[in-house]
Amino acid sequence: MSAMNLIARTAALLMVGFGLASLGCEKPSGGTGGGGATKSGETGTPGSPKEDGDAGQIVIGHYASLTGSEATFGISTDNGIKMAVEERNKAGGVKGRQVKLVTLDNQGKPQETQTVVTRLIEQNEVVAVLGEVASSRSLAGAPICQRKGVPMISPSSTNPDVTAVGDMISRVCFIDPFQGLVGAKFARENLNLSKGATLYNRAQAYSSGLNTNFKEAFTKMGGQIVSEQAYSDGDNDFSAQLTAIREQGPEFIYVPGYYTEVVNIARQARKLGITVPLIGGDGWDSEELKNAGDALNNCYFSNHYSHEDTRTEVQEFVKKYQEQYGKVPDGLAALGYDAARLLFDAMERAPSMSGKDLASAINSTQNFAGVTGAISIDENRNANKSAVILEVVNGQPKYKATVKP
Amino acid sequence: MTQFLQTLLDGVTVGCLYALIALGYTMVYGILKFINFAHSDVLALGVWMSITIAGWMGMGAAGQPTPPWYMGLLVLVGTMGFCGVVGFVIERVAYKPLRKAPRLNVLITAIGVSLLLQNVGQQKFAFGPYPKSFPSLMESSSLFTVAGVQVRASDVAVVGTAIALMAALQFLIFRTKLGAAMRAVSFNTRNASLMGINVDRVISFTFVVGTMLAAAAGFLYGLKYEGQAKQTADSMWVMLGLKAFVAAVVGGIGNVRGAVLGGLLIGLIEFFGVAYLSSQYRDAYVFAILIMVLLFKPEGVLGRATVEKV
Amino acid sequence: MSRLVDQARSLSPAGWTVLPRLLWPLVVGVVIAGLIQFVIGPNISGFTSKVMLVAGINIIMAVSLTVVNGFTGQFSMGHAGFMAVGGYVAATITYYGSIKLFGTADFAGGTVSWTGAGAFEGPIVGKGDLLFIGSCIVGGLAAAGAGYIVGLPSLRLRGDYLAIVTLGFGEIVRVLLQGTPDQIQPWKAKEALDVPWYELLLKLGGPKGFNLLPTYTTLFWVYLFVVLTLIVSYRLKNSSTGRAFLSIREDEIAAQAMGVDVTRYKVRAFVLASFFAGMAGGLYAMDIGAINAGDLGFQRSFDFIIMVVLGGLGSISGATLAAVILTILPELLRDLPPIWPAGLVLLAGMAAAQKLRGQWRLRPLIVVAVLTAVLEIARRVCVAKGINIADYRLILYASLLIVMMLSRPQGLFGVREAWELFGRGGKKPAKGAA
């Protein structure tokens, strides 16, 4: 062991150490915006606090699953938010300042969600955060926003727990118990049915939550659930459950799943000779329902909005979205769009861009004219709004009724 | 009775799909002794390639009449061909260089390949992030009815094609020279190469055959469910693959007949479990059966126990 | 006969040293964790500390998996399942325990656990901290119990079969946890007071997850457990038990012939590894403030396996480094920083290592140099053309994984530790039994 060797060894260890340190401490510059428009002006003006000066941009953050198995949801929502931001900037921005959107991907993982939200708040210095679709990720991101005092608006998490995290967290969609109630009310009062069955995804918070709430509401209204069947993520064959349901002879089946499953459930049900209506929730909402052909005729689902709605803001939104992304906007895109616009509205009303002012402006929103209906934020920071019931006619959702809270 | 027969029919149909996928796992395991985690992604690729090819051939657009049966066959052949090429490339790039490395390493590259296929498939330039629906290539009406159970054309097609493919594989393995070489390599790689067998080529070939079977299963899957194909990164594909892998293990891994038996067994257990016990724990049945079988007959139902020598 | 026993007894340390020997890792852990929390913590950004925290949890998971996969050579694919067991048990005790003992599910800890905004007025360690840390340990014990059950089949199974059983175990744990009834939310804490505790233990939220937990996990707790895990694993590796583990990995039959009770040691490895994984689960749950079994499926287990294999099977420092790298990598891939400095460092490190071992091999150096150049050019092109790299993050990650495995199949450090790489020409860690 010569001295030469010792020196070389120490040097090598040190270099590796420094290399790792440089890897770890490398301060990533700015964020990666969703589109080309957000690419310019990566960092805010250094030295000056972000609230000061009217020339600087207002940075807002969005965390979503843009990669991984739930990318579909994140991409739709992000499209809606991007559109709202671009529109606003063209119209002169908020309080004369341009808005910059930073979208970061969380791969659909809760741990990464926390890292990403911290990053948005600390490195991108966002004044408000939008996100997520899935309640489990919203619940991971919300405590960080609450702790750091940055308002967060969830576009489409329906689990009641999300806004219970604190006064910085609000949402623009209705919550599970309400949607369950809407489905039950519609089945019981509009369709006059009393014997129902349910078929839900037990591995999915959304589906099982809706199932519980529907069941409660429906039995309270004097209805009866004759069969309750479940499936799991990744199941694509529902004939066993449907056969069991058929034996009980219900008058309708409540299917609170996503459209990918619903299309298959409907086809398989019809093949098994089940002709009763299926009723579902906003998870059904997609252009892809057209592929069900006539299997989904005489079926209904509750939703945030109907793209057939004749109100001008809806028609304009649908038209613009179709021009930009080449497809009819789904509910997630509409909710993302509304969340961003509600945030801008609150920004205009807030005396300053500090978290506290912004949050209280958001929480005092009343009758905001969104694409998904008039939104009022209630004392639990949930959106108080009506739901629409759509009927599927040859794969096309047609407006059927509006159910008020 | 109707429910029993219906469950039986569904169990057998899905069991055939599991069997086809399980064959790929078992063949690769038999020769390379590692669990090919990218197999389920080839399956997803098969589904999406079928949609794409059918789209190119102008099938599946709404309102079009159902195409004649041989068009479906053409899609099947095209899908199998494409996935075979992909399988060849995967084996050459990711697995072959690690032939002498510990098996755990190949497992990691397999996971890497799996992630790669999932995420490339989901890009806009590939299949896109949104689910697509499978074009209907067959009449959806029922062929005939037995005791209240409707037997559909697609069920018959799935079972028929699966049996034909399995018979072809059986012939390939036990009646051809190449099959003898495959069995030899699986039995003892070093001795096989001493006998003048080009081991690398046999391994490549086995891998490609396994991949093509997965592609065929993907096509049949689409044929049976006709509805939505989820995006390639969806966890459902991995779960489907995992169940097929369980089938391979239950039947006796490395054993071709075992894979078929295991597939049917798992399909039936799953469906009877859901129909007669509870639909709550569908996945749990499969894994519970797996653990039971492994505890009482670790080599699987048809597997042969091997004694490790010093 | 008795002489040998006497000799052995005279070699073993005196009785009074038992306590210090047991306690010194704890003292070292508290000191290091305290330094990280109170000296480094305030000087780094919240983002860096978040990444450090996640890296710490990943280190515990990777190093504990090393005990099973690396030392003993048993292939476990259900490590996230143990994390889920420990996490849920710890979350249950902390959440419902807080309600039963303190009346609310709010934070009741001291300065060490304070994660909220602003300065914290109060004791350094609060009653909530004790509950939290106790719950993590109980979570670890519960996971260890599960590890014992999973380890038992190793009586009959080996290799891939055992791997499949562990995978099945992880999935069954997930399915069962997702079948549990709804949680009693914090605003219904009064109702929970009247519910008997054995009923409470089952109300875990099912697919909605166990949410709104008080958050206690800070850098202090995480790095306390990281240090403990590292010390225990390292001392284990060089103990007689560790040598028994390694002998099982190298050749099970030979180990048995030499009198190693193979089954017992395998089960022991499982129990120990699951204990640490269970504790990490507790830290994880109380860091996020929620735990969801759906996120702890086999895909999560694979993440840890990748860390272990990438670090080098059986190398503790390798697993640690791999855990750190794999935690930072996805963040780095969001917007690529310049690659050439890292390449240069890697080249220098490799050159130094080769120089020390006195064997010059030019090819790997050239490969690394060319790869760095190509990547750097690709990066510049992407930046110039305005291509958003974040969209291709997972593709890059997967490709890197394959390339790393192909170019260095033995992992970062092989079976050695980092310092042995630069040491006396690569001495094997398993010294022959004296």
Side-chain angles (χ1 to χ4, degrees):
Chain A
M1 198 78 29
S2 68
M4 213 20 219
N5 260 351
L6 202 70
I7 294 166
R9 198 174 302 140
T10 323
L13 262 176
L14 275 177
M15 287 195 77
V16 171
F18 275 128
L20 284 173
S22 76
L23 263 177
C25 303
E26 192 107 44
K27 256 216 165 178
S29 59
T32 45
T38 58
K39 213 55 186 161
S40 57
E42 284 283 15
T43 43
T45 41
S48 64
K50 61 191 172 194
E51 286 89 12
D52 288 346
D54 47 5
Q57 290 175 316
I58 300 175
V59 189
I60 61 170
H62 175 217
Y63 64 99
S65 51
L66 300 176
T67 58
S69 61
E70 288 177 41
T72 324
F73 308 138
I75 291 172
S76 274
T77 312
D78 197 44
N79 285 348
I81 296 178
K82 262 195 289 202
M83 233 176 83
V85 171
E86 277 163 30
E87 238 177 67
R88 191 74 191 198
N89 282 341
K90 250 182 228 156
V94 176
K95 287 182 172 168
R97 292 160 70 184
Q98 291 285 297
V99 178
K100 184 190 154 198
L101 172 71
V102 180
T103 302
L104 292 184
D105 166 42
N106 63 7
Q107 285 188 51
K109 293 178 182 165
Q111 220 168 18
E112 193 155 338
T113 298
Q114 292 211 321
T115 320
V116 156
V117 173
T118 316
R119 184 170 175 148
L120 281 173
I121 294 173
E122 292 202 340
Q123 298 197 332
N124 302 103
E125 303 190 332
V126 298
V127 296
V129 173
L130 301 172
E132 238 263 41
V133 175
S135 297
S136 64
R137 261 111 59 195
S138 291
L139 277 162
I144 305 263
C145 290
Q146 180 66 28
R147 241 178 260 162
K148 308 256 178 195
V150 174
M152 168 182 138
I153 305 179
S154 167
S156 37
S157 290
T158 49
N159 186 338
D161 290 358
V162 172
T163 47
V165 169
D167 58 354
M168 288 288 157
I169 318 299
S170 53
R171 73 178 109 213
V172 296
C173 56
F174 44 62
I175 54 176
D176 281 341
F178 175 67
Q179 199 174 184
L181 181 79
V182 167
K185 230 176 171 176
F186 178 75
R188 196 77 193 89
E189 289 167 8
N190 295 39
L191 298 180
N192 236 333
L193 304 173
S194 58
K195 257 173 77 183
T198 64
L199 176 58
Y200 68 102
N201 183 344
R202 48 153 289 277
Q204 216 166 50
Y206 162 77
S207 187
S208 68
L210 212 48
N211 176 59
T212 319
N213 293 312
F214 172 82
K215 216 171 55 187
E216 267 171 24
F218 191 66
T219 40
K220 213 178 260 173
M221 288 175 193
Q224 185 199 358
I225 303 288
V226 290
S227 174
E228 190 180 359
Q229 294 289 327
Y231 56 93
S232 187
D233 273 341
D235 289 357
N236 235 332
D237 196 306
F238 309 95
S239 23
Q241 291 96 324
L242 287 168
T243 313
I245 288 177
R246 189 176 63 180
E247 307 283 292
Q248 301 298 327
E251 292 169 341
F252 71 96
I253 308 173
Y254 190 65
V255 189
Y258 284 112
Y259 63 94
T260 42
E261 294 140 7
V262 168
V263 172
N264 296 347
I265 290 174
R267 279 170 176 273
Q268 288 170 29
R270 300 310 180 224
K271 278 178 186 170
L272 287 169
I274 300 173
T275 53
V276 297
L278 308 184
I279 300 177
D282 58 332
W284 284 31
D285 181 32
S286 168
E287 240 184 304
E288 296 289 322
L289 286 187
K290 67 174 188 283
N291 295 310
D294 51 7
L296 272 171
N297 276 357
N298 191 25
C299 292
Y300 311 89
F301 65 97
S302 52
N303 201 5
H304 304 275
Y305 92 117
S306 155
H307 66 82
E308 288 191 328
D309 199 328
T310 47
R311 282 185 297 140
T312 45
E313 55 257 46
V314 178
Q315 283 315 310
E316 263 175 35
F317 167 71
V318 172
K319 207 179 113 217
K320 245 189 229 163
Y321 191 95
Q322 261 177 320
E323 274 169 18
Q324 205 156 340
Y325 303 108
K327 59 190 293 175
V328 175
D330 50 13
L332 295 177
L335 285 167
Y337 182 75
D338 271 0
R341 281 179 58 234
L342 188 139
L343 177 63
F344 300 148
D345 175 66
M347 281 174 174
E348 291 284 4
R349 284 186 285 118
S352 82
M353 288 290 161
S354 74
K356 227 183 203 157
D357 287 343
L358 206 50
S360 68
I362 293 168
N363 297 345
S364 62
T365 303
Q366 288 299 325
N367 280 320
F368 171 79
V371 166
T372 61
I375 302 168
S376 302
I377 305 289
D378 67 10
E379 71 278 8
N380 292 324
R381 296 171 302 283
N382 294 327
N384 193 350
K385 61 201 276 200
S386 49
V388 291
I389 297 278
L390 304 175
E391 180 179 3
V392 188
V393 180
N394 291 326
Q396 295 295 328
K398 300 279 175 214
Y399 175 80
K400 174 88 180 170
T402 300
V403 181
K404 292 219 155 56
Chain B
M1 189 61 194
T2 307
Q3 193 188 357
F4 178 80
L5 284 178
Q6 185 79 54
T7 314
L8 190 72
L9 175 72
D10 289 328
V12 168
T13 324
V14 173
C16 280
L17 285 180
Y18 283 155
L20 272 186
I21 309 167
L23 279 172
Y25 278 114
T26 227
M27 282 168 67
V28 171
Y29 191 90
I31 285 195
L32 288 174
K33 295 281 180 292
F34 89 100
I35 307 167
N36 179 16
F37 274 107
H39 200 63
S40 57
D41 303 289
V42 176
L43 170 78
L45 188 70
V47 176
W48 281 88
M49 253 346 263
S50 307
I51 296 177
T52 315
I53 292 176
W56 285 340
M57 289 161 59
M59 286 187 279
Q64 262 190 345
T66 311
W69 63 271
Y70 53 84
M71 294 291 271
L73 207 62
L74 224 58
V75 175
L76 174 67
V77 172
T79 306
M80 285 174 74
F82 179 82
C83 290
V85 173
V86 171
F88 179 76
V89 174
I90 293 174
E91 203 275 333
R92 187 46 67 86
V93 173
Y95 301 156
K96 200 179 164 202
L98 289 173
R99 200 132 297 157
K100 293 202 174 62
R103 281 177 298 150
L104 214 48
N105 293 35
V106 197
L107 199 86
I108 303 290
T109 48
I111 295 173
V113 169
S114 157
L115 276 175
L116 199 65
L117 285 177
Q118 284 177 11
N119 289 293
V120 170
Q122 196 164 269
Q123 291 296 322
K124 281 197 199 88
F125 56 77
F127 306 123
Y130 292 100
K132 259 191 204 163
S133 64
F134 201 86
S136 56
L137 299 173
M138 296 201 97
E139 290 289 343
S140 56
S141 61
S142 59
L143 273 186
F144 50 88
T145 310
V146 183
V149 175
Q150 297 181 344
V151 179
R152 296 180 291 274
S154 59
D155 289 337
V156 174
V158 168
V159 175
T161 316
I163 288 174
L165 284 170
M166 287 185 252
L169 186 71
Q170 188 77 9
F171 178 80
L172 174 75
I173 291 178
F174 293 99
R175 291 278 183 279
T176 64
K177 219 171 164 183
L178 200 56
M182 281 159 74
R183 280 181 286 144
V185 172
S186 154
F187 191 73
N188 188 324
T189 315
R190 200 165 9 140
N191 282 2
S193 77
L194 285 176
M195 294 295 130
I197 295 170
N198 186 339
V199 172
D200 271 336
R201 197 177 292 165
V202 170
I203 290 178
S204 275
F205 179 77
T206 314
F207 197 84
V208 168
V209 169
T211 317
M212 284 164 77
L213 287 176
F219 170 81
L220 294 177
Y221 181 88
L223 200 63
K224 174 152 172 56
Y225 292 116
E226 276 187 351
Q228 298 284 314
K230 291 199 181 169
Q231 62 272 28
T232 48
D234 199 276
S235 53
M236 68 157 293
W237 302 116
V238 185
M239 205 61 213
L240 196 68
L242 219 52
K243 282 186 195 164
F245 177 68
V246 168
V249 176
V250 167
I253 197 148
N255 184 319
V256 173
R257 284 169 204 162
V260 176
L261 186 75
L264 287 174
L265 213 60
I266 291 291
L268 288 172
I269 285 167
E270 198 183 330
F271 274 77
F272 276 97
V274 171
Y276 289 98
L277 293 173
S278 153
S279 48
Q280 283 259 332
Y281 300 110
R282 188 174 192 149
D283 297 343
Y285 302 139
V286 174
F287 288 107
I289 287 297
L290 167 80
I291 291 177
M292 301 292 268
V293 168
L294 283 183
L295 282 183
F296 295 108
K297 201 168 185 314
E299 62 278 2
V301 178
L302 287 188
R304 210 177 302 133
T306 50
V307 182
E308 264 183 61
K309 280 164 284 195
V310 183
Chain C
M1 200 178 106
S2 65
R3 278 185 60 196
L4 197 63
V5 172
D6 289 339
Q7 271 181 3
R9 200 167 289 152
S10 71
L11 279 175
S12 74
W16 63 269
T17 59
V18 168
L19 206 64
R21 274 190 297 130
L22 273 176
L23 282 184
W24 77 260
L26 198 65
V27 174
V28 171
V30 169
V31 170
I32 293 180
L35 277 177
I36 290 176
Q37 166 84 350
F38 296 109
V39 180
I40 301 177
N43 296 316
I44 52 176
S45 71
F47 173 68
T48 314
S49 87
K50 190 86 220 172
V51 172
M52 267 178 81
L53 205 150
V54 174
I57 294 177
N58 284 343
I59 290 173
I60 301 177
M61 292 303 288
V63 170
S64 60
L65 189 60
T66 297
V67 173
V68 176
N69 275 22
F71 295 178
T72 324
Q74 301 305 299
F75 187 19
S76 167
M77 294 205 291
H79 213 49
F82 298 117
M83 196 179 180
V85 170
Y88 265 92
V89 169
T92 314
I93 295 173
T94 307
Y95 180 78
Y96 288 123
S98 292
I99 290 178
K100 286 262 175 193
L101 294 175
F102 317 139
T104 68
D106 291 342
F107 177 80
T111 323
V112 274
S113 307
W114 179 243
T115 50
F120 182 72
E121 304 276 324
I124 292 178
V125 180
K127 54 184 177 175
D129 296 324
L130 299 177
L131 181 69
F132 160 65
I133 215 64
S135 77
C136 280
I137 291 169
V138 176
L141 290 175
Y148 181 76
I149 295 169
V150 176
L152 276 184
S154 59
L155 273 169
R156 296 193 54 134
L157 301 173
R158 27 183 86 158
D160 291 334
Y161 291 105
L162 187 63
I164 301 154
V165 167
T166 55
L167 189 140
F169 159 79
E171 286 305 288
I172 289 176
V173 164
R174 181 181 63 79
V175 172
L176 291 182
L177 282 173
Q178 286 185 331
T180 53
D182 278 357
Q183 167 193 7
I184 298 179
Q185 277 108 343
W187 58 87
K188 294 183 198 153
K190 289 227 164 52
E191 290 172 35
L193 284 175
D194 306 327
V195 181
W197 59 269
Y198 51 86
E199 264 181 50
L200 277 183
L201 294 188
L202 281 177
K203 296 191 183 296
L204 303 177
K208 287 182 210 160
F210 200 178
N211 304 321
L212 302 172
L213 308 168
T215 51
Y216 285 99
T217 308
T218 52
L219 285 176
F220 178 82
W221 296 118
V222 170
Y223 278 88
L224 175 62
F225 283 121
V226 167
V227 171
L228 283 180
T229 312
L230 287 176
I231 291 177
V232 169
S233 320
Y234 187 70
R235 297 219 304 178
L236 181 76
K237 193 177 177 182
N238 292 310
S239 71
S240 63
T241 309
R243 282 196 292 273
F245 284 173
L246 293 174
S247 71
I248 294 172
R249 177 185 75 190
E250 295 303 330
D251 192 329
E252 203 170 316
I253 294 161
Q256 202 156 20
M258 295 309 289
V260 173
D261 187 344
V262 172
T263 309
R264 211 175 87 203
Y265 279 107
K266 279 187 197 168
V267 173
R268 220 183 247 189
F270 263 105
V271 167
L272 196 72
S274 341
F275 175 73
F276 285 122
M279 282 204 313
L283 295 171
Y284 168 87
M286 255 65 78
D287 169 36
I288 293 189
I291 184 166
N292 197 326
D295 298 316
L296 297 171
F298 61 91
Q299 265 122 339
R300 198 89 182 94
S301 300
F302 284 175
D303 289 351
F304 303 128
I305 294 175
I306 290 172
M307 289 170 194
V308 170
V309 178
L310 207 62
L313 273 181
S315 170
I316 296 168
S317 47
T320 310
L321 188 62
V324 173
I325 290 177
L326 288 186
T327 312
I328 298 175
L329 193 63
E331 287 303 312
L332 282 184
L333 289 180
R334 254 181 234 290
D335 40 3
L336 280 180
I339 294 157
W340 60 267
L344 217 60
V345 168
L346 192 62
L347 270 179
M350 281 169 67
Q354 289 191 2
K355 164 110 182 51
L356 293 173
R357 274 190 271 161
Q359 40 177 210
W360 281 101
R361 276 183 305 161
L362 227 53
R363 239 186 92 189
L365 295 179
I366 295 172
V367 167
V368 168
V370 170
L371 214 64
T372 311
V374 168
L375 284 175
E376 181 66 28
I377 291 168
R379 189 190 76 89
R380 301 225 159 165
V381 168
C382 282
V383 171
K385 294 230 165 174
I387 296 170
N388 193 358
I389 295 169
D391 292 346
Y392 307 101
R393 201 155 64 110
L394 280 180
I395 297 178
L396 280 174
Y397 176 78
S399 321
L400 272 176
L401 202 63
I402 297 172
V403 169
M404 282 197 266
M405 228 37 321
L406 291 183
S407 57
R408 200 164 165 80
Q410 70 272 44
L412 287 174
F413 298 143
V415 292
R416 290 186 287 261
E417 299 296 346
W419 45 93
E420 289 164 351
L421 207 61
F422 297 105
R424 280 142 260 157
K427 183 174 59 96
K428 282 271 187 296
K431 304 162 211 144

